[in-house]
Amino acid sequence: MPPLRNSAVALDLAFTETGSGPPLVILPGLFGSKRNWTSIARELAADHRVLTVDLRNHGESPWDPLHDYPSMAGDVAAFLASHAVSSATVLGHSMGGKVAMMLALTQPAAVDRLIVVDIAPAPSTANTRQVLQAMLDVPLQTLETRSQVKDAMAGAVPSRGVRDFLALNLTSSPEGLRWGINLESLDRNFASILGFPQLPAGAVFDKPTLFLGGGRSPYIRPEHHAEIRRLFPQAAIEMIPEAGHWVHAEAPQAFVEIVSRFLA
């Protein structure tokens, strides 16, 4: 289990680094980690120093009872400062996209360009709460293999691909399997995760921004466009029709092509 903290102080986030050039920071989404982005980071590292980060309560980063967007944006700002990155392109998916937006809107000097993947600056209404509950309900102490864990979630999570993705968070210990993410903190803070925080009056990020969504996903809808363009006046909105919420995993070639074009 990672170190457990209980304060509003920024946490020391785990990361991987590849490539060289202008810095590009990748922030994974809920239940995701830096290793989910390995192949995408490798592609983008041809022209960038790619820093892929585990957000708090995920992957190899510390656990904390507090899990909200101001705290997570503070973690990322501290991460940039501790790695001598005065400003960077920031790419965030889903929950990580909300963290990226919060950072850009409250500390715009830290962000050169912004890429938000399949999430809007608005409360989310999809049924990810059901997914979290399925993970909490798994009787890990009675199971021995990842396959058994995935089978135990099948009733609540019918998509095999989603179950495979969730199972990447399993780790082995002498006591058996356990979840490598802080499900209790995520459960306690779930309303904050689904929401979008109150912003300072007049908050705007007026630098190049890309919103990249999946055409089969409900997270970026036409009714979000006006708020996107109010907060991000230079925003372009592109959709990959064949992709769902995990755009980078479902349509990796199209994803890399669009992001690379934006970065160029």
Side-chain angles (χ1 to χ4, degrees):
M1 180 183 298
L4 183 62
R5 299 282 296 274
N6 188 8
S7 73
V9 175
L11 304 185
D12 186 13
L13 301 178
F15 72 102
T16 56
E17 180 174 349
T18 185
S20 60
L24 167 63
V25 176
I26 296 177
L27 308 178
L30 183 64
F31 311 130
S33 69
K34 51 187 171 57
R35 68 174 177 169
N36 303 136
W37 286 82
T38 301
S39 60
I40 297 294
R42 190 180 301 119
E43 293 276 354
L44 298 175
D47 300 299
H48 287 79
R49 175 192 178 197
V50 181
L51 302 158
T52 311
V53 174
D54 281 338
L55 294 173
R56 62 170 57 198
N57 295 315
H58 288 73
E60 297 175 351
S61 284
W63 287 11
D64 195 284
L66 187 61
H67 193 95
D68 60 22
Y69 292 111
S71 300
M72 288 188 280
D75 292 344
V76 177
F79 171 83
L80 295 176
S82 67
H83 291 87
V85 178
S86 58
S87 62
T89 295
V90 180
L91 183 160
H93 170 243
S94 193
M95 181 186 74
K98 289 186 177 182
V99 176
M101 286 188 277
M102 187 69 181
L103 179 66
L105 289 165
T106 59
Q107 302 189 54
V111 182
D112 289 327
R113 289 175 292 185
L114 177 66
I115 303 169
V116 180
V117 183
D118 209 60
I119 203 69
S124 304
T125 57
N127 64 346
T128 44
R129 183 68 184 77
Q130 178 181 338
V131 174
L132 175 60
Q133 191 61 52
M135 299 171 77
L136 287 165
D137 288 345
V138 172
L140 284 182
Q141 67 278 7
T142 68
L143 304 177
E144 297 179 355
T145 68
R146 285 169 169 76
S147 293
Q148 290 175 332
V149 174
K150 288 187 277 189
D151 289 344
M153 294 189 289
V157 185
S159 168
R160 180 175 180 177
V162 174
R163 295 197 305 274
D164 289 344
F165 166 70
L166 297 175
L168 293 173
N169 289 294
L170 289 166
T171 63
S172 298
S173 71
E175 294 76 33
L177 293 172
R178 64 174 182 82
W179 291 113
I181 55 177
N182 190 351
L183 294 178
E184 289 73 21
S185 181
L186 300 181
D187 185 40
R188 191 165 48 248
N189 294 282
F190 207 76
S192 293
I193 294 170
L194 288 183
F196 193 71
Q198 185 74 30
L199 296 168
V204 168
F205 181 72
D206 194 13
K207 296 180 186 178
T209 302
L210 172 66
F211 280 77
L212 179 54
R216 296 188 293 104
S217 170
Y219 285 94
I220 297 178
R221 300 188 299 272
E223 56 264 35
H224 293 135
H225 290 191
E227 182 68 356
I228 287 172
R229 293 200 164 99
R230 183 184 75 82
L231 293 172
F232 306 96
Q234 292 197 47
I237 302 172
E238 294 197 42
M239 308 297 286
I240 300 178
E242 68 272 21
H245 183 54
W246 284 276
V247 187
H248 57 290
E250 297 175 48
Q253 182 176 352
F255 180 88
V256 170
E257 287 175 358
I258 294 171
V259 169
S260 297
R261 186 168 66 245
F262 174 76
L263 293 174

